[in-house]
Amino acid sequence: MRAAVVDDGHYMARALELAERGLNTTDPNPRVGCVLVRDGRVICEGWHRRAGEAHAEIEALRAANFAARGSTAYVTLEPCSHTGRTPPCAEALIEAGVARVVSAVADPNPLVAGAGILRLRAAGVDVAVGLRAEDARALNAGFFSRFTRGRPYVRLKMAVSLDARSAHADGRKEWISGAASRADVQAWRARSSAVLTGAGTVRIDDPRLDVRLDYGPWVRQPLRAVIDSALTSPANSRVFQGAGALVFAAPDARPPPLPDAVLIERVPRAGRGLDLHAILERLAAFEVNELLVECGPRLAGAFLEARLVDEMILYVAPILLGADAPPLALLQGADAEPALKNFELADVRRIGEDVRLILRPKGAF
């Protein structure tokens, strides 16, 4: 029995490795891997490559030419039981004669949510759920967040100096982080469903918020989103060029002559700006799983005060900018303290000349 348990963990680890291959391509679908094993031997593998194409289970069954009778399927997410853009995977596993299914975690999508497991068991398939569940959830944190919390998983990315300053005091446009850190940011953009910034950053830095490094032929550009309550961003801003963007504005803001591809979403005001909870709900409606926020200290402070940051990515450069330079985040002093959380380090590594810190709130999602 102990050997079987060890083997289960080994094959599930391989399924998770396969699932990670879809890190930049499956959105808005989850990243899923599948390994089919019979008589202690892997007979085939599969992973979900991109939305609209075959799911991981179907990929594995095709690789085995559907000769999977009597095998065990190790899948990082519960096999689906409904027909969407592809047929239900639970039925395909049953028809192929798979004897056992080991699933890391149940699917949070209410269209599945245990129905795939029930369908398999009703057909006489032995089903186990929960092996490497935390790893499977972490790989799809945004997918789980969208279906269980009604909002994306939020990452706040900032570059700071040793004295926690986020820009030069004289306002000059000069990178704080090095070239290696900026290339690393491209990887975070590539895996994100959307990249969000504020109107101040658009006016001052004129960012593109797109993926400019080659991550393969299937990498799609993230949705580019701007919070601009008064609609003051210039129409010729680079973020509005190309495939368009999404702008969140106050209900009474007068629309400027923006490009036709730019969509304006009206959301209520709250506090010093717009209702960030409402913005995240709208983004979830656009099937945004992972949101990367790249912004200035005011918007960063608003996200932190609203307790909406699930992960903070800080690139710390070996420079000092002085007390007159803008801080990492503008927080409202004692009034903000009850809303703030303590963070814990999840990862520390050197990126070129900088140090990258990944922090998560204690007791995080």
Side-chain angles (χ1 to χ4, degrees):
M1 177 64 69
R2 178 172 297 177
V5 171
V6 171
D7 288 345
D8 281 352
H10 170 75
Y11 296 129
M12 184 60 75
R14 176 57 182 166
L16 286 165
E17 288 179 0
L18 293 168
E20 195 168 1
R21 293 183 182 180
L23 192 68
N24 302 333
T25 61
T26 65
D27 199 79
N29 288 358
R31 300 131 183 165
V32 184
C34 177
V35 177
L36 292 181
V37 177
R38 186 173 54 218
D39 299 326
R41 182 176 63 88
V42 174
I43 58 174
C44 54
E45 300 176 335
W47 54 283
H48 184 42
R49 299 169 186 269
R50 56 178 172 174
E53 296 194 357
H55 289 184
E57 300 93 320
I58 305 302
E59 281 280 300
L61 290 171
R62 285 176 179 171
N65 197 23
F66 287 83
R69 185 163 302 278
S71 66
T72 295
Y74 295 88
V75 191
T76 58
L77 188 69
E78 173 188 2
C80 64
S81 55
H82 68 292
T83 300
R85 283 186 281 184
T86 58
C89 295
E91 290 296 332
L93 292 168
I94 293 168
E95 292 175 7
V98 170
R100 180 173 177 246
V101 172
V102 179
S103 175
V105 66
D107 193 327
N109 186 339
L111 294 176
V112 186
I117 295 169
L118 291 175
R119 179 69 190 93
L120 289 165
R121 286 175 173 161
V125 179
D126 181 16
V127 181
V129 183
L131 180 64
R132 301 288 296 267
E134 288 190 10
D135 294 329
R137 280 176 60 93
L139 184 61
N140 289 299
F143 184 77
F144 276 86
S145 178
R146 177 158 65 92
F147 282 108
T148 62
R149 301 190 296 179
R151 71 167 182 83
Y153 185 88
V154 177
R155 291 187 177 94
L156 174 63
K157 186 279 297 182
M158 299 194 76
V160 296
S161 62
L162 289 174
D163 48 349
R165 301 291 158 171
S166 59
H168 293 273
D170 58 9
R172 69 181 184 271
K173 297 180 181 179
E174 187 175 295
W175 296 109
I176 293 177
S177 58
S181 291
R182 298 197 295 275
D184 191 63
V185 171
Q186 292 287 307
W188 291 105
R189 288 184 183 178
R191 68 173 290 169
S192 299
S193 311
V195 182
L196 174 74
T197 194
T201 299
V202 171
R203 290 192 298 269
I204 296 170
D205 296 334
D206 194 19
R208 289 165 53 178
L209 302 184
D210 59 358
V211 178
R212 296 189 290 278
L213 297 184
D214 184 8
Y215 288 96
W218 294 342
V219 176
R220 78 283 171 276
Q221 289 291 341
L223 173 69
R224 293 170 292 168
V226 178
I227 297 179
D228 188 355
S229 59
L231 291 173
T232 58
S233 299
N236 63 351
S237 299
R238 294 194 297 178
V239 72
F240 298 144
Q241 309 308 310
L246 180 64
V247 179
F248 293 100
D252 56 348
R254 297 181 61 182
L258 292 174
D260 293 338
V262 177
L263 178 63
I264 298 176
E265 284 280 305
R266 307 285 182 167
V267 294
R269 295 183 184 273
R272 295 173 287 157
L274 299 181
D275 187 336
L276 296 181
H277 293 273
I279 288 173
L280 293 185
E281 288 175 4
R282 299 284 179 89
L283 288 170
F286 281 93
E287 296 187 308
V288 171
N289 292 333
E290 297 180 15
L291 176 67
L292 183 64
V293 180
E294 300 186 28
C295 63
R298 185 176 300 277
L299 185 56
F303 266 95
L304 289 166
E305 288 176 11
R307 298 172 71 111
L308 291 174
V309 175
D310 297 305
E311 195 167 284
M312 191 183 303
I313 305 170
L314 295 182
Y315 296 92
V316 183
I319 59 174
L320 296 170
L321 294 179
D324 294 333
L328 181 154
L330 285 174
L331 302 170
Q332 296 302 297
D335 292 338
E337 187 175 347
L340 297 179
K341 285 186 175 182
N342 291 327
F343 284 77
E344 55 189 2
L345 280 171
D347 185 73
V348 181
R349 67 182 62 187
R350 183 166 182 169
I351 307 290
E353 296 182 351
D354 307 326
V355 173
R356 189 191 71 188
L357 310 178
I358 297 180
L359 305 103
R360 300 188 186 109
K362 289 186 177 180
F365 167 74

